[in-house]
Amino acid sequence: MNSSLKGRKDKYAMTKEREEVFRGYLIECLEHYRDALAQKMVPGSKGSSVLKKPMAQFCGVGVASVARWFSKPEKLPVGEPLIKLMFFLDSIGYSVIELGKMGETQRNFAGLIGFGILSSKRATKLLDYKETSTLYQVLHGHQGSSPARDRKMWDFWKEKRKELEERKASFRALHGEQTQPTVQPDRASARRGSRPTTSQASAPRESG
């Protein structure tokens, strides 16, 4: 099953529930969101922290961490917060290129981590990896996965798919307009230069 951005729309990044706000690499999406929030912020006011809070809560970090990401977007978080950040932006209308380039099996499984259904520690144990760093390498396409592990990821996602959709719906209902960017899309910026790509993996076929 091909997960290329060409010829199909990503199941997470493009849904009927919302329109695409902006398409770009993660750093570009983060910068776009930061600039959108800046239009709502009064510098130094408590409102600045309030507007950062949804991202902080979703990613499991403090508001100060989000402030650091905004001031130095080139220094992205790593590990679980990085996965959560991609799915947060995806959930509010961003099409994050790195997320779209994940293999479908890996992307679906990563969504369980992104929405807090599965911790990275538990995912690592589930897939019989010794280190969480190996899990992240596989999810981001930097390291291959065995067919048996692909099947485990796919089956576990299928088992939790309904809960995942409920989490996504709850997020939209809870935050809604509070997190929605207000600046106009500027897709041209998403084409700036070139960045490293991640390899793509195919989802295992379902039997029957």
Side-chain angles (χ1 to χ4, degrees), residues 31 82 110 138 177 198:
E31 290 173 336
L82 176 62
V138 170
E177 295 299 322
T198 55

Side-chain angles (χ1 to χ4, degrees), residues 1-182:
M1 194 178 297
N2 193 336
S3 61
S4 171
L5 287 175
K6 296 180 180 180
R8 69 187 288 273
K9 292 182 179 179
D10 179 83
K11 289 184 177 181
Y12 282 101
M14 291 294 292
T15 65
K16 293 181 180 179
E17 285 81 2
R18 51 81 170 160
E19 295 181 356
E20 182 184 79
V21 172
F22 178 86
R23 180 180 182 273
Y25 290 96
L26 179 57
I27 290 177
E28 295 167 336
C29 291
L30 182 60
E31 290 173 336
H32 187 280
Y33 182 65
R34 175 200 63 194
D35 294 344
L37 288 191
Q39 296 184 8
K40 300 179 181 180
M41 292 180 185
V42 176
S45 70
K46 292 183 179 179
S48 298
S49 295
V50 170
L51 289 173
K52 295 185 184 85
K53 190 171 290 186
M55 176 179 281
Q57 291 177 335
F58 189 95
C59 296
V61 300
V63 170
S65 294
V66 173
R68 285 195 298 271
W69 300 346
F70 283 0
S71 63
K72 296 182 178 180
E74 70 278 3
K75 293 186 177 181
L76 293 170
V78 296
E80 194 165 313
L82 176 62
I83 292 174
K84 288 178 176 290
L85 177 59
M86 289 194 292
F87 279 97
F88 173 86
L89 291 168
D90 177 81
S91 296
I92 59 173
Y94 287 88
S95 288
V96 181
I97 290 175
E98 291 93 331
L99 192 60
K101 286 185 175 180
M102 282 185 182
E104 187 175 6
T105 297
Q106 285 73 20
R107 183 173 62 251
N108 289 342
F109 191 75
L112 300 176
I113 297 174
F115 280 87
I117 295 172
L118 181 66
S119 69
S120 295
K121 185 176 180 179
R122 186 183 172 198
T124 300
K125 185 176 181 180
L126 177 69
L127 298 177
D128 298 319
Y129 288 124
K130 293 182 179 180
E131 304 290 341
T132 54
S133 59
T134 305
L135 170 70
Y136 298 137
Q137 289 292 309
V138 170
L139 293 181
H140 291 294
H142 302 311
Q143 181 173 319
S145 174
S146 68
R149 286 191 171 106
D150 283 347
R151 175 53 65 183
K152 279 187 178 181
M153 285 189 276
W154 188 257
D155 288 345
F156 195 81
W157 168 74
K158 283 180 62 181
E159 180 184 336
K160 299 293 183 179
R161 179 168 48 184
K162 183 177 179 181
E163 184 178 353
L164 177 59
E165 291 305 316
E166 290 172 349
R167 291 279 181 103
K168 292 166 68 177
S170 295
F171 173 84
R172 289 191 294 268
L174 179 63
H175 297 292
E177 295 299 322
Q178 184 181 10
T179 57
Q180 192 65 32
T182 55

